[in-house]
Amino acid sequence: MSLPRRLAIIDVESTGAHPVRDRITEIAILRIEDGEVVASWESLVAPGQPIPPLIREVTGISDEMVADAPPFDTLADTVAALLADCVFVAHSARFDFGFIKNAFARIGREFDAPVLCTVKLSRALFPEHHRHGLDALIERHALVCDARHRAMGDVQALWQFVQGVQGVFAPEVLARAVERAMKAPVQPPGLPEGTLEALPDVPGLYFFLAESEPPAEGREERPLFIGRAQSLRARVKEHFGAHARKGRDAELLTRTRRVEWIETAGELETSLREAELLRRFRPPYNRPQEAGTDVFALRLLRGRKRAPIYECVPIAGTDPAAWDGLHGVFRNRREADNLLREMALLYRLCPRRLGLEQGGAGPCSAHLAKRCAGVCARRETAAEHDARLASALAGVGIKPWPWAGPVLVHEQQADGARQAFHLFDRWCHLGSAEAAGGLPAPLAAVPRAFDVDVWRILGRWLAVPAHLAQVEPLAVQ
């Protein structure tokens, strides 16, 4: 037989996409035996937590609708009986399977079953198509769905799809496709079933955590690792691929018991939030972050006779509009010294006068190697030497702000599901919000505070010409 004899086609609606944090709000099951429907069952489920507005809008299931619904523990025996000895059939099946498995686990019961994913079945049978979501299947195969995003409506559409392919394909072809669609993916050790399948295919940040349950309200949890991605689902799955299971990566995955994520509107929001969270939590498996509070610039001290002939001026948290004669942005002294060494070679400057070499009698080592013009050997005046240094430093540092005042950057996901508005002025981040009305006002009262990470993030983002269309200059009242 091309299809298993006993199928349980199931769909789960929930308060969100996370199989551990979120809860079931509705279940529908069709039990199929030898091609015939022998049981049809559906029920709302009391989730024990509020249903978010976006979920209410998509599913039509409200808090009022589930207020008097039974909790899962009172439905567990019915669900178990309907699924008994059946192949568990669902669209993106590991997602629904994860919710059912975790719901049983929360009441101290085990659940397992062979799984057939209709997304994988569609891909195996119709490889010429790129879209295999349920909406695509409904459109492509003229399926009837009276209540999309309600459990029984989706289940009935899947049953029509299963019946349809059984009538189109030869039994041996369908059998091979079913075998492929039932091949279980490698499940990461320690992670709840369905975690990877629940990750959305959108940009955002993801967190690997050592505890299987979130902390009590009011307590913070330090992530093991924070990552960023254009596609959360694809990037996190890469972490758990076979190529990553060695060395420090393997150690991280062994310690990971939970994955959380934050969806973002785009690259800029992702980068800004990542920088903030890395500084805040300092995850042990991320590259150590240098403190941005020690950032400084150089100011040339004209006419100074003794080395060094410049001073280091702290700039973190200051207003760039107040800077005067500052050059460069440096996180540490090493960065500044590397730049000065490079300039010494290019402009035949004296490393001793630049403070890169200890003072002593006679010419510096660079002059003896004919790489210094000789201010240390009285071959040129200090004024001549320092003029070349000033000329070299003139091109170093923050580029002029391209606009006359603050700007508003608008980002949104490709499908428009999430958007973000960011306010910047003179390379400083003044605030972000999901709606333009949530930004601080009046703009004139918002202080500018320089942050080296924001400066670098914004500079890289603005270097992409296509991004400029998302920038709107604002006038300060």
Side-chain angles (χ1 to χ4, degrees), residues 9 19 40 48 50 58 88 93 96 129 184 186 192 199 201 260 276 315 331 461 463 465:
I9 304 179
S40 176
V58 171
F88 186 106
D96 299 85
H129 295 293
V186 176
L199 284 152
D201 186 20
E260 300 284 357
E276 173 194 349
I315 57 173
R331 285 183 178 273
W461 190 84

Side-chain angles (χ1 to χ4, degrees), residues 156-380:
Q156 289 174 340
L158 288 180
W159 174 223
Q160 294 169 52
F161 172 72
V162 171
Q163 289 176 299
V165 297
Q166 195 169 18
V168 170
F169 291 93
E172 62 273 14
V173 174
L174 187 54
R176 288 196 297 270
V178 168
E179 183 180 0
R180 289 175 59 186
M182 291 185 66
K183 187 176 181 180
V186 176
Q187 287 298 314
L191 284 187
E193 184 81 40
T195 297
L196 300 188
E197 289 73 18
L199 284 152
D201 186 20
V202 297
L205 297 168
Y206 57 93
F207 310 85
F208 290 171
L209 299 140
E211 299 297 327
S212 57
E213 294 289 337
E217 189 174 352
R219 286 186 57 237
E220 271 196 340
E221 183 177 13
R222 185 191 186 196
L224 296 169
F225 179 83
I226 297 176
R228 53 176 297 179
Q230 282 299 101
S231 167
L232 287 166
R233 183 184 303 156
R235 183 67 188 97
V236 173
K237 282 186 175 181
E238 282 182 16
H239 277 281
F240 291 94
H243 67 281
R245 296 181 183 177
K246 54 186 178 181
R248 190 168 171 81
D249 289 337
E251 180 183 298
L252 169 62
L253 301 185
T254 299
R255 293 185 61 187
T256 299
R257 290 292 177 270
R258 198 170 90 253
V259 177
E260 300 284 357
W261 59 87
I262 297 172
E263 295 185 29
T264 58
E267 179 186 343
L268 187 55
E269 183 186 12
T270 304
S271 298
L272 291 171
R273 297 189 73 169
E274 179 190 35
E276 173 194 349
L277 292 168
L278 287 176
R279 281 200 300 259
R280 178 174 164 190
F281 290 109
R282 297 189 176 277
Y285 286 88
N286 282 93
R287 181 179 299 175
Q289 301 292 302
E290 291 195 65
T293 54
D294 298 328
V295 173
F296 64 90
L298 299 179
R299 176 185 285 138
L300 186 60
L301 301 174
R302 297 182 181 275
R304 184 180 174 94
K305 295 182 179 180
R306 300 183 60 183
I309 54 172
Y310 53 81
E311 61 178 337
C312 299
V313 181
I315 57 173
T318 65
D319 185 348
W323 294 355
D324 180 32
L326 298 185
H327 305 283
V329 177
F330 307 102
R331 285 183 178 273
N332 51 57
R333 188 53 196 252
R334 182 184 67 256
E335 287 185 2
D337 286 352
N338 288 341
L339 175 68
L340 291 171
R341 288 191 180 93
E342 183 178 339
M343 288 182 171
L345 287 172
L346 290 173
Y347 296 93
R348 301 189 70 204
L349 299 173
C350 178
R352 187 179 296 166
R353 186 157 177 78
L354 296 180
L356 301 174
E357 182 181 301
Q358 292 295 323
C364 71
S365 58
H367 180 69
L368 296 175
K370 299 184 179 180
R371 294 195 301 268
C372 165
V375 66
C376 53
R378 299 184 179 180
R379 297 295 180 90
E380 67 170 347

Side-chain angles (χ1 to χ4, degrees), residues 436-448:
L439 291 168
L443 292 179
V446 182
R448 290 181 290 258

